[in-house]
Amino acid sequence: MDESRPIFVQIAEQVENDIIGGLMAEESQVPSTNEFAAFYRINPATALKGVNLLVDDGVLYKKRGIGMFVAGGAKARLIAKRRDRFSAEFLAPLLAEAEKLGVTPQQLKSMIDKEGTK
Amino acid sequence: MTAVIEVQHLSKHYRDVRAVDDATFAVEENKIYGLLGRNGAGKTTLMQLLTGQEFATRGSIRVFGESPVENAGVLQNISFIKESQRYPDDFRPRHVFASAPWFFANWDAAFAAQLIEEFRVPLNRRIKKLSRGQVSAIGVIVGLASRAPLTFFDEPYLGLDAVARQLFYDRLLEDYAEHPRTVVLSTHLIDEVSNLLEHVIVIDEGRIIIDEEAETLRGSATSVVGTRAAVDAFVAGREILHRDGVGGLASVTVEGLDARARAAASAAGLELAPVSLQQLIIRRTSTSEKEFEATA
């Protein structure tokens, strides 16, 4: 766990990653909050908060008396959301560091091409 | 939310020492609380007051809506595990576990047996002959298996090794999830327990200095690191918790940076470093204030 951010946000992101990565299939049941709490060694109320965040976002839905399930179409929506943030979260710092080191956009581009063929 | 404990303007003075100084707070039902603070901050005194083992100098205490002092109706719902629990000289662990059900209505003998096995407590050896960690394990087992609606653990793990402490945290979380109850965990091993806690109360020199949800506290402070001039310009007008410096570099801990402030800091070439709950509490308690005065 990363100390700088709320744990419930990190739990929600972990579940999102599992959905994007295909570990949790759409319409499949996700672990209960108590199982999350035991696995990550966190307070169950914190786990519940993380799960509720995903319910509010429509990523998970509740089936009364049964548990939590991954919503249909959740994977595509999550990927779209992450793509929107990709530029700000990954490209901006990359460009800032490149500029600091005097790496031109052209050089950067060829570096990306080179890494991509590895 | 129902308050299990309500304390108002509570003070406890021993001659000229203010062990607890005008404390006002509430403990809500079925949450795990961390009662944190340095040695001698007043944690144990506060718990003794809450469990009717000390008399208040001033102020009021309500536990389950009533005064805990000499109140069997309140005390039978409390399990208080102390750092230095004493047992009669001839006692063996099996005597402790055999008598526990007399005091705790919810005692779970099967759960106790499981814990005895896991913590490897020798049932038939005299407690006098046990190691410090084994004696602590007895307390931890009683605290967990008693399933009291209100359980206090006062530094319960003196002498427990890292494996046994992790076992304690794991079993506490599991059993709490199955059987929700109010738990007050007093400790100075803040980093070890911070993820278990839902609410944090920090006491320093008898005063309550933090009373906050753990998730709100987490990430509430950030260290800003960079050249002295850039850091000073950035933190001007913000509440400063701590300041450190070496040569032309400065590291200043401030509270509550929003996304915009973070972006502004990065744009100014400043590094932002997270502050753990333990660091935050160290910075908010009195020694760091003195350090701060010295360096400011």
Side-chain angles (χ1 to χ4, degrees):
Chain A
M1 291 284 157
D2 165 3
E3 277 286 343
S4 63
R5 297 179 308 141
I7 296 174
F8 73 95
V9 174
Q10 298 181 55
I11 296 292
E13 277 176 9
Q14 188 57 51
V15 174
E16 286 183 0
N17 285 341
D18 288 346
I19 293 170
I20 291 171
L23 282 170
M24 286 182 186
E26 287 174 10
E27 302 301 341
S28 71
Q29 189 169 5
V30 300
S32 71
T33 51
N34 284 344
E35 285 168 332
F36 275 124
F39 184 74
Y40 289 108
R41 296 183 158 142
I42 56 171
N43 190 291
T46 311
L48 180 64
K49 228 172 146 182
V51 167
N52 281 342
L53 199 64
L54 295 172
V55 171
D56 291 345
D57 286 351
V59 174
L60 301 181
Y61 67 95
K62 285 179 203 175
K63 274 190 196 170
R64 252 210 178 159
I66 305 176
M68 294 284 177
F69 291 78
V70 180
K75 184 174 172 176
R77 283 203 304 279
L78 286 172
I79 289 175
K81 188 178 96 178
R82 291 279 177 102
R83 278 192 181 162
D84 286 346
R85 295 192 334 220
F86 184 77
S87 175
E89 283 183 9
F90 295 93
L91 285 186
L94 178 73
L95 290 171
E97 181 73 9
E99 196 186 329
K100 195 158 83 186
L101 302 178
V103 177
T104 66
Q106 204 52 46
Q107 286 169 319
L108 192 60
K109 220 172 148 231
S110 66
M111 281 161 87
I112 291 169
D113 288 341
K114 209 168 132 195
E115 280 294 316
T117 56
K118 264 188 191 171
Chain B
M1 287 290 171
T2 324
V4 171
I5 300 174
E6 285 175 288
V7 167
Q8 288 193 337
H9 301 293
L10 178 65
S11 291
K12 174 68 185 176
H13 298 175
Y14 299 100
R15 296 175 184 271
D16 53 351
V17 177
R18 293 176 174 195
V20 175
D21 190 6
D22 196 28
T24 296
F25 63 93
V27 169
E28 286 171 3
E29 194 177 27
N30 295 345
K31 289 189 177 182
I32 301 181
Y33 278 71
L35 178 59
L36 313 177
R38 306 185 58 198
N39 292 329
K43 303 189 294 285
T44 299
T45 305
L46 186 57
M47 284 185 282
Q48 285 173 331
L49 287 163
L50 296 176
T51 53
Q53 303 185 352
E54 282 282 4
F55 297 102
T57 308
R58 229 174 283 130
S60 84
I61 304 173
R62 287 284 172 275
V63 180
F64 300 113
E66 297 173 34
S67 165
V69 176
E70 306 273 333
N71 187 334
V74 169
L75 297 177
Q76 69 187 6
N77 287 313
I78 297 178
S79 181
F80 183 15
I81 305 305
K82 287 181 238 176
E83 179 182 9
S84 49
Q85 180 67 51
R86 298 263 171 270
Y87 299 95
D89 271 357
D90 289 337
F91 252 47
R92 299 166 200 267
R94 65 182 162 87
H95 297 126
V96 176
F97 300 122
S99 51
W102 306 338
F103 303 101
F104 301 112
N106 299 338
W107 180 259
D108 184 329
F111 185 37
Q114 177 204 329
L115 293 167
I116 290 163
E117 182 116 326
E118 288 179 321
F119 282 99
R120 301 182 184 168
V121 174
L123 283 176
N124 286 315
R125 204 173 300 161
R126 284 194 189 193
I127 291 180
K128 265 172 31 178
K129 302 280 183 194
L130 297 183
S131 73
R132 185 59 249 187
Q134 287 171 319
V135 177
S136 292
I138 296 173
V140 162
I141 293 167
V142 170
L144 290 172
S146 58
R147 290 210 182 116
L150 175 57
T151 306
F152 293 91
F153 287 104
D154 184 9
E155 303 276 3
Y157 33 53
L158 205 67
L160 282 187
D161 58 36
V163 175
R165 293 203 301 275
Q166 191 60 59
L167 186 62
F168 167 53
Y169 304 141
D170 288 351
R171 292 298 170 268
L172 173 64
L173 265 189
E174 282 167 20
D175 202 57
Y176 164 79
E178 293 273 312
H179 305 273
R181 53 203 194 257
T182 310
V183 176
V184 178
L185 182 58
S186 153
T187 181
H188 54 250
L189 298 177
I190 300 168
D191 275 343
E192 276 193 15
V193 302
S194 68
N195 291 356
L196 309 184
L197 308 175
E198 185 167 354
H199 198 100
V200 172
I201 292 175
V202 180
I203 183 168
D204 190 45
E205 294 183 331
R207 295 185 152 268
I208 306 290
I209 60 163
I210 296 176
D211 178 0
E212 191 77 76
E213 293 290 305
E215 285 293 89
T216 310
L217 280 176
R218 196 181 311 281
S220 69
T222 309
S223 287
V224 183
V225 187
T227 60
R228 193 172 288 271
V231 170
D232 283 345
F234 181 76
V235 302
R238 295 183 187 276
E239 198 186 334
I240 294 172
L241 286 177
H242 184 79
R243 175 188 288 272
D244 243 337
V246 56
L249 289 177
S251 167
V252 173
T253 305
V254 291
E255 281 196 80
L257 288 188
D258 55 19
R260 253 178 81 189
R262 286 175 175 276
S266 314
L270 297 169
E271 298 271 340
L272 296 176
V275 175
S276 73
L277 195 59
Q278 174 151 318
Q279 287 174 311
L280 178 67
I281 288 164
I282 290 170
R283 304 221 152 151
R284 289 248 206 121
T285 43
S286 39
T287 41
S288 60
E289 273 171 35
K290 282 171 203 136
E291 279 168 20
F292 171 58
E293 282 161 19
T295 51

